[in-house]
Amino acid sequence: MGVKDTVTAKYMRQNNVFADAFNYFVYEGEQVIDPNSLEELDTREIEVPYGGEEGAEQPVQRTRDVIKSVTAMTDQKTAYLVLAVENQSNVHYAMAVKNMVYDALQYAKQVEKAVASHRTSGDYKTADSDEFLSGFMKEDRLMPVITLVIYFDYKVWDGPMSIHDMFNESDSRVLALVPDYKINLIAPASIEDSDFEKFSSTLREVLSFIKYSGNAKKLEETINSNDKFRHLGRTEVDVLNACISANLIMKQDEEVLDVCRAIQTIASDAEKKGRIENLLQNIKSLMETMGWSAEQTMDNMKVSAADRKALAPFL
């Protein structure tokens, strides 16, 4: 895994952040999914080709980013769900196919688990011939699988949003018979300012920072209006640095960062760097024009000792 994949997976694996993403996307911010009810599942999905003849392809292992099971209560009804997150730092133009494969493998795993359970318990004795042959009983039920794509970039997601979007123009009668498969997507660029309030975890700060990372003025306003930016955690900072090169610096012994102060420092350093580069250009121009040495030029320009020290490596 690359750095971006590693830090985003670590971040989204936190139950409060994971639950927050689905409460925002599925329930409009209502706290339906309790982080304490989440259970981590094996992220590995095994794709086994049909047939067992000699020379058949070997099983293929695919790995999800994060997947958890949950028992959620909504409208006085209990819902058993399998929730998965796929983190993207770049647009994936075949995301609909990727998610469809992952979800299909998860459903297949549920069926296999049900079949194995019946074999172990021996309750096939009461099954009819169809149930016995399929291994899946009439009363067996699957848990819905919801895969949510989270795009950790400020650019607009311009990839297909469904399988049908990936086809050439086709006869509507044909498409009507081809099941569509849509992706569920959280992309910062498409989140309305008012909707950030629907997040209850640091996902609010991370996604709003990403959304406005290309707009210095709006980013400053966003950071200054939210006190939580004054103590952002290391995991969140790692995501911002890896995904959008935020250049936020944390000392090794620090666990939280005042982003407001860090941004001010970055701006100050950039201003200082620009001034030094301009000064260096003027010194070199005078040296060439007047034939002076670097020391003579800086003496005549009355360059401070601090600036001379910064300029020394370049003269």
Side-chain angles (χ1 to χ4, degrees), residues 127-257:
D128 61 29
S129 59
D130 291 334
E131 289 178 312
F132 182 80
L133 290 173
S134 68
F136 198 78
M137 310 283 271
K138 293 177 184 178
E139 294 77 15
D140 288 335
R141 293 294 180 268
L142 299 175
M143 291 192 293
V145 179
I146 302 174
T147 297
L148 181 55
V149 179
I150 302 183
Y151 181 42
F152 289 93
D153 199 289
Y154 65 88
K155 296 189 290 292
V156 173
W157 179 281
D158 62 355
M161 291 295 293
S162 73
I163 293 292
H164 280 197
D165 287 347
M166 298 176 69
F167 296 148
N168 287 323
E169 290 187 17
S170 300
D171 188 325
S172 60
R173 293 168 297 182
V174 173
L175 285 181
L177 300 175
V178 179
D180 201 359
Y181 199 90
K182 300 178 180 180
I183 67 173
N184 304 308
L185 175 70
I186 292 180
S190 63
I191 300 176
E192 298 291 337
D193 286 359
S194 58
D195 284 344
F196 281 110
E197 299 299 326
K198 296 176 182 178
F199 291 103
S200 61
S201 72
T202 57
L203 202 53
R204 173 189 174 188
E205 286 70 53
V206 169
L207 295 181
S208 60
F209 189 108
I210 291 174
K211 177 175 181 175
Y212 296 116
S213 58
N215 185 332
K217 183 178 179 180
K218 185 62 178 178
L219 179 61
E220 183 179 5
E221 291 175 359
T222 300
I223 291 173
N224 290 333
S225 66
N226 184 353
D227 285 341
K228 291 185 178 180
F229 274 113
R230 296 193 176 278
H231 41 83
L232 208 61
R234 180 174 292 277
T235 305
E236 289 77 10
V237 171
D238 286 345
V239 170
L240 295 175
N241 284 340
C243 293
I244 58 168
S245 302
N247 296 320
L248 299 173
I249 299 175
M250 291 186 73
K251 298 178 181 177
Q252 287 189 346
D253 59 344
E254 289 182 329
E255 287 303 320
V256 295
L257 176 71

Side-chain angles (χ1 to χ4, degrees), residues 21 47 113 282 291:
E47 180 180 7
K113 187 175 180 180
N282 290 337

